[in-house]
Amino acid sequence: MQTMGNIKVTKATTSKRASVDFSNLSFGKHFTDHMLVAEYSNGSWQTPEIVPYGPISFDPSMATIHYGQSIFEGIKAYRLKSGVEAIFRPYDNFKRFNKSASRMEMPSVPEEIFIGGMKQLLQVDAAWIPEEYDHSLYVRPFMFATDEVIGVNPSTTYKFMIILSPVGPYYAAPMKIYVEEFYVRAVPGGVGFAKTSGNYAASLHPAAVAKKRGYDQILWTDAHEHKYVQECGTMNVFFVIGDKFITPGLESGTILEGVTRDSVIAVANDMGKVVEEREISVDELVDAYKAGLLTEAFGAGTAATIAKIAELRYKDFVMEFDPGKMPLADEIKSILTAIRDGIAPDPRGWMLSIQG
Ligand SMILES: *Cc1c(COP(=O)(O)O)cnc(C)c1O
């Protein structure tokens, strides 16, 4: 995997860094000085290049715009207390990216481009990795089809790119959500497990309807019966019932296999908690709530890490939670944040140094 030396680097003549206010970063608005670009053609990946960040041009017939062969990832890089710059679990995102690619009939991206390219890009823009607590450099790898033809076929050419955006702590206000009983996010056999652009496009209207009704997000349910819980907006979802954590299982292929989800499970296990990955019906949640056993509910994803649920509505029944009384969610969030800032032990080697 040490073919990083192959990557051609063209440095920007000036840096934008001084013009960015790191104490007041809004999510995904600022980008660093460089980006990585790799082209796929004639059945193979060409050597990636690191170039100054900037617009790319394309033909109006470019396949992605019409048929949506497009996938992405979201990862964070941190400056540890020791000064080392490190990426949180990028190999998990790498594997997931290629699962998404396969489902969308796109070529897989080799490790030396995805991981090696990411490390080298982060080295070039290392000055952008914030050192403040809970700040990070958000890494956005993505791939899209570039054939210039409006016939419905898998593209024969693709672009893989990585861009970087400094982000501050994500203040996730406790969410007001309702159980969605009309729209669906994913079906068995569909693309719910893939991180593909169209899933996001399809979620925008149901989310806008939720906003109009005064809610922040939707709790997605299964497409057949609207009976079983899937995800909360674009986050995985966890419930604490009695002494157990419960989160939907991955078997149906309708759940995005979140890296944060997996991290929450690992940390909860370290805390001696039982975590059940299985089907959860909304009725089970209601019964547990009525019995006083459902005490915590939260979403899990890279952007916010953990976003608490303050209100969950199912038909006319409203379940309320006190975000100030979710000790397990708080403990997990603080352990994960501490690992990512290098102030807690990292027994699983989740942090990958950007060097070497
Ligand atoms: C990206 C994503 C998540 C969270 O995954 P992480 O790896 O934890 O960031 C959850 N659900 C959906 C639909 C997603 O796209």
Side-chain angles (χ1 to χ4, degrees), residues 215 289 311-320:
Y215 291 82
Y289 182 83
E311 182 182 322
L312 173 57
R313 184 185 191 92
Y314 180 49
K315 302 188 196 286
D316 289 332
F317 188 69
V318 176
M319 295 176 253
E320 286 176 327

Side-chain angles (χ1 to χ4, degrees), residues 183-186 191 196-208 218 220:
Y183 296 109
V184 295
R185 193 193 86 84
V191 296
T196 183
S197 314
N199 282 341
Y200 279 72
S203 75
L204 297 176
H205 179 66
I218 292 161
W220 296 105

Side-chain angles (χ1 to χ4, degrees), residues 55-66 144-146 148 159:
I56 50 178
S57 69
F58 52 84
D59 191 271
S61 68
M62 182 174 73
T64 309
I65 308 172
H66 302 273
F144 55 97
T146 53
E148 298 171 355
K159 230 189 247 291

Side-chain angles (χ1 to χ4, degrees), residues 72-75 93 96 185 192 194-196 199-200 231-236 255-262 300-303:
F72 67 98
E73 276 301 331
I75 303 170
N93 297 85
R96 184 170 74 190
R185 193 193 86 84
K195 216 167 173 75
T196 183
N199 282 341
Y200 279 72
E231 296 196 47
C232 174
T234 54
M235 284 182 283
N236 294 116
I255 311 281
L256 197 291
E257 189 175 353
V259 178
T260 314
R261 175 188 181 278
D262 190 69
T302 294

Side-chain angles (χ1 to χ4, degrees), residues 42 48 59 64 69 73 80-81 89 109 111 155 176-177 184 187 217 224 226 231 259 266 282 286 289 305 313:
N42 300 318
D59 191 271
T64 309
Q69 260 188 309
E73 276 301 331
L80 306 186
K81 198 175 138 220
R89 304 191 65 175
V109 173
E111 181 179 328
S155 184
K176 218 178 133 181
I177 65 179
V184 295
V187 294
Q217 265 305 344
H224 297 307
H226 291 295
E231 296 196 47
V259 178
V282 184
V286 169
Y289 182 83
T305 307
R313 184 185 191 92

Side-chain angles (χ1 to χ4, degrees), residues 6 51 105 108 111 141 163 181 202 247 253 262 291 320 354:
N6 285 343
V51 295
E105 198 55 27
S108 58
E111 181 179 328
I163 57 175
E181 293 185 89
T247 192
D262 190 69
E320 286 176 327
I354 69 166

Side-chain angles (χ1 to χ4, degrees), residues 75-88:
I75 303 170
K76 283 178 171 175
Y78 297 81
R79 187 174 303 278
L80 306 186
K81 198 175 138 220
S82 60
V84 167
E85 297 115 342
I87 321 165
F88 185 70

